[in-house]
Amino acid sequence: MHHFKLSLWFYTRQLSLRLGMLVSLLFLSSLALATDEIIQPDGNISAQNLNIRLTPKEKLWLAQNQTIRVAVKKGWMPIEFMLENNQHRGLSIDYLSKISSLLNIKFSVINYSEDLDSTQVDMISAMGSILGEKNSFRPLNQPYLMFPHAIYTKKSKNKKFHSLEDLKSSRIAIFKNGPLGHKILENYPKIKLVYVDIADEAFDKLKSGAIDAYIGNEMVLDYHISVHHLVFVEKAGLTPFSSSVFMAVQNDKPELASALEKSILAIGQNNNELLDNWRVTEDHYNQILSVILAGVFLIFLFVSTRFYRFHKNSKKQNSESQQKIWYQANYDHLTKLPNRHLLQNRLEQAMERADRSKLPLAVLFIDLDNFKQVNDTSGHSVGDKLLADAANRICRCVRSEDTTARFGGDEFMIVMSDINDMRSLEKVCKKILIELKKPFDIDSDKFFISASIGVSIYPNNGLNPEELISYADQAMYESKKLGRNQYQFFTASIQTDSLKKLSLSNDLRDALIKNEFVIFYQPIVNLENSNILKAEALIRWNHPTNGMVNPMDFIPLAEESGLIHELGDWVFHQALKDLPVIQAQFGAEFQVSINVSPYQFQKPDNLLKWAEAIKKVNISGNCFSLEITEGILLEPSSAVINTIAALRSVNIAFSIDDFGTGYSALAYLKKFNIDYVKIDKSFVQNLQPNNYDAVLCEAIINMARKLGIKVIAEGIETNIQQELLKRFSCDYGQGYLFAKPQPLDMFLAFLASNKNH
Ligand code: C2E
Ligand code: CA
Ligand code: CA
């Protein structure tokens, strides 16, 4: 049956026009709605062992409804069309046939008409544009066919047009329904669009020179050109746009909808086996001899097998390479997920569906925590495997009909339609967090990450795709800010925060040039004898309108934008200028500690230059201590190890900042010859005799002493805290109890008065 079908629709040169007309006439004359046609499993379409799992409810419904009434169109080659013998053929029919073998059901065909009554049919086999379709039918969430829009031009020796870019001020015909015109104009506002009703109209205009190009569904137009033997046309290239074909199901048949949804997922969008039967290219039909059966006519021409094989092969290669190009433009090659571009498409489709169903949709923005660290310290091959695995885990947490896309390096996005209640949405978020928290086994190693999720809802939060994505992104940042490994829904206060952040971020670029940064110094006190020979340099931003901006509000922005490198260098060089002033009054052993962001280790050369700078002045390297976080030491790259070694070789000291909040393993710190650990202020501030934090502090101090590492307790605010820490023999203390961070002159005055007491 299949060979027959293939050859049936390849017209020979001489007969194409007349037969085309005849077939059109036959289409018009068959007006009856009901047909006797049944679609059932087709022996020629291989019934692979596809995996499909139905719920008991779906099974029951299918058992009670063995024959599904489906409305099929007549003249949309090769998607679906009717032969003169009243038989429907096309890609949709092949898909239905495959579904019928999967679900063990039959379809009875009914002729599609615009004013279809929803009581007469259960579903529609193919809808091109989901705008303006019948409200009593809902398209499935995923299209089963998706084809690029291609550019067709008049054949010429010197090809002028290859892409939309070449056509940006030309006259282009497009089909009048559907969103393509809008998308083209959005990107190329100077293009003059000519809307056509049928393909022939466009090709006539192309022939007469009234338009420069015709853009439309590649599969459909290739087929049209081949069947009608339009020798003057050539395909100039593809556009980044595509069009989708959906099945639609009557609103009150959710079991049918979900069973079809699962079947299409099992068979696959653009199933290659099915597509291969319908693909043609422009230049092979001359040689293909075919059989045409038209009503009472029987025209028989036989196939030269050698030619046939040769051309089938070249045809296949051509369509494969186009398919590849299209795939590359729409999918992420590492995770095999849709990319940003396709996501945008799907989101728009989902929004249109939401408009009709009146059910909200959710956009989830997922960003992996600590991924950069794994990637930087363990290499890209580990990073890639982790991403692919993470993508799988995320997909497992959502329904098959939701779209999961890779949005950026370690960012994923999910579009979830039909949100019935927020609790089930929260459940999905929680599930994703749990899945990503589980260890990743890669190359016989275990890696740990977590994720931060932001959620925006359509139509509640935003009305266009850009807004929805941006709001989900902002909510994701809120999750990061609140400590990661959690999800947040977008709120109005997140919006004002992020507007503030945006304007700060813009100002930050100029702040260095305008000299708006200042260093504040906070003393670090020797708890045994109250001497002060150390201080921490803490940056402040004196913003022209916002006043003093807290480093917590701009360091992350600087890290994001890459400005942290310049900012970090500025802090170091400013401290290098200030230090001689401090040392002149309070001794040459005075030590300043400087906070170094993990991001700064991405440019080791910058840090290595610090060693050079110190060597040039008359200051001992040991007068600087660099405060780093332990994360950077966990699985350090050789670049990190070498940088630390080089800085150590000029005697620069190292402190571990915020100790106790992370992995808190002291023993491995010894490997790096760490000088100090700073117990995080969250422990110090909860100190009570005999409480958990007291036990922890004491344990850290004891362990550190055994390893020859000195301990600095941060955030000491009360005498009780100080007394407890002294009792544990903590070496140093820092906090408001002694002094707040203050500008250099005030700090010097403080040191002077402290000395006199
Ligand atoms: P950090 O390194 O943990 O710095 C200690 C923070 O605790 C400082 O906040 C300090 O003002 C505050 N602090 C000190 N004593 C007390 C106290 O008794 N009670 C309380 N509640 N807080 C106390 P600050 O200056 O706002 O800095 C916040 C963070 O910004 C720093 O945390 C550090 O991570 C970062 N930061 C500051 N300056 C720089 C810099 O130059 N470079 C980089 N990369 N990060 C910096
Ligand atoms: Ca610090
Ligand atoms: Ca700290």
Side-chain angles (χ1 to χ4, degrees), residues 7-61:
S7 47
L8 189 67
W9 286 96
F10 292 124
Y11 289 16
T12 55
R13 178 179 294 171
Q14 299 85 343
L15 287 163
S16 65
L17 267 176
R18 241 174 306 153
L19 279 174
M21 259 150 50
L22 176 81
V23 173
S24 325
L25 275 174
L26 285 166
F27 284 164
L28 285 174
S29 63
S30 51
L31 285 168
L33 223 60
T35 71
D36 301 328
E37 206 181 332
I38 295 286
I39 304 172
Q40 46 197 347
D42 177 343
N44 286 304
I45 295 173
S46 79
Q48 320 148 303
N49 285 335
L50 294 175
N51 222 349
I52 182 161
R53 242 187 258 154
L54 296 175
T55 64
K57 237 171 132 185
E58 289 159 354
K59 279 184 193 155
L60 182 68
W61 192 92

Side-chain angles (χ1 to χ4, degrees), residues 536-538 593-596 627-628 657-658 678 714 734:
E536 178 174 5
L538 292 158
S593 57
I594 293 186
N595 292 285
V596 180
E627 298 195 2
I628 59 177
D657 209 350
D658 306 336
K678 301 188 77 172
E714 291 185 320
Q734 178 182 351

Side-chain angles (χ1 to χ4, degrees), residues 624-689:
F624 282 97
S625 176
L626 303 189
E627 298 195 2
I628 59 177
T629 46
E630 54 186 332
I632 194 131
L633 302 179
L634 266 190
E635 294 197 43
S637 63
S638 53
V640 167
I641 295 171
N642 293 340
T643 310
I644 293 178
L647 294 166
R648 289 224 62 103
S649 73
V650 295
N651 290 327
I652 293 178
F654 277 84
S655 313
I656 302 299
D657 209 350
D658 306 336
F659 194 80
T661 58
Y663 305 87
S664 313
L666 274 166
Y668 76 98
L669 296 183
K670 203 54 213 156
K671 275 204 311 218
F672 294 93
N673 269 317
I674 296 299
D675 304 87
Y676 306 96
V677 296
K678 301 188 77 172
I679 300 182
D680 191 68
K681 54 178 175 288
S682 58
F683 299 100
V684 174
Q685 280 165 358
N686 288 327
L687 275 184
Q688 297 283 336

Side-chain angles (χ1 to χ4, degrees), residues 383-584:
D384 283 357
K385 286 176 192 163
L386 193 149
L387 279 178
D389 191 0
N392 275 332
R393 293 185 190 190
I394 294 170
C395 288
R396 281 203 301 265
C397 297
V398 296
R399 297 168 303 181
S400 46
E401 63 264 30
D402 298 325
T403 295
T404 304
R406 183 171 178 207
F407 197 67
D410 58 349
E411 295 165 340
F412 297 89
M413 190 97 87
I414 301 174
V415 176
M416 286 178 66
S417 296
D418 302 343
I419 304 295
N420 283 310
D421 68 316
M422 291 300 151
R423 247 176 312 160
S424 59
L425 179 58
E426 291 192 50
K427 249 191 208 156
V428 172
C429 292
K430 282 181 191 151
K431 211 161 126 194
I432 295 172
L433 292 178
I434 291 171
E435 281 304 313
L436 292 175
K437 195 96 203 178
K438 291 178 183 164
F440 288 77
D441 290 311
I442 300 167
D443 301 344
S444 68
D445 254 331
K446 278 197 191 325
F447 295 88
F448 297 85
I449 59 162
S450 57
S452 300
I453 305 179
V455 185
S456 67
I457 309 279
Y458 173 81
N460 312 36
N461 295 147
L463 291 176
N464 62 53
E466 293 73 31
E467 267 178 4
L468 287 171
I469 292 172
S470 155
Y471 292 166
D473 187 15
Q474 291 171 28
M476 183 277 292
Y477 260 95
E478 185 71 10
S479 295
K480 289 245 185 235
K481 219 166 81 189
L482 295 175
R484 308 172 155 200
N485 189 31
Q486 53 189 294
Y487 63 90
Q488 288 292 323
F489 284 68
F490 179 75
T491 62
S493 84
I494 289 180
Q495 184 167 28
T496 40
D497 277 5
S498 74
L499 285 177
K500 242 195 257 162
K501 186 181 124 177
L502 188 70
S503 82
L504 270 189
S505 192
N506 288 333
D507 295 348
L508 196 58
R509 284 169 232 289
D510 298 334
L512 261 175
I513 306 161
K514 293 194 195 150
N515 225 347
E516 289 171 1
F517 293 108
V518 199
I519 294 186
F520 277 28
Y521 290 94
Q522 186 179 32
I524 297 171
V525 181
N526 183 324
L527 290 179
E528 205 183 348
N529 54 24
S530 299
N531 284 347
I532 300 176
L533 283 170
K534 294 183 193 309
E536 178 174 5
L538 292 158
I539 193 169
R540 295 288 178 270
W541 178 8
N542 197 353
H543 189 279
T545 50
N546 296 8
M548 275 303 172
V549 186
N550 192 312
M552 298 300 253
D553 291 335
F554 68 85
I555 295 286
L557 299 181
E559 289 175 338
E560 256 166 61
S561 65
L563 201 76
I564 189 67
H565 301 289
E566 285 173 63
L567 201 62
D569 282 344
W570 180 85
V571 172
F572 170 76
H573 286 287
Q574 187 58 47
L576 193 62
K577 276 185 216 157
D578 292 348
L579 195 52
V581 182
I582 305 172
Q583 289 186 339

Side-chain angles (χ1 to χ4, degrees), residues 259-317:
L260 289 174
E261 201 107 58
K262 287 176 184 173
S263 308
I264 286 170
L265 270 157
I267 297 167
Q269 193 183 74
N270 285 14
N271 177 299
N272 253 319
E273 187 200 345
L274 300 186
L275 247 60
D276 273 348
N277 298 321
W278 296 100
R279 280 194 186 116
V280 291
T281 56
E282 295 154 61
D283 53 9
H284 74 286
Y285 48 91
N286 284 348
Q287 290 90 357
I288 294 182
L289 306 172
S290 30
V291 181
I292 294 164
L293 182 78
V296 289
F297 300 101
L298 196 145
I299 298 153
F300 177 74
L301 296 154
F302 74 95
V303 177
S304 147
T305 29
R306 225 192 290 160
F307 267 149
Y308 175 76
R309 245 186 246 140
F310 171 74
H311 286 288
K312 188 163 163 89
N313 282 343
S314 69
K315 174 190 92 177
K316 222 175 169 169
Q317 270 167 18

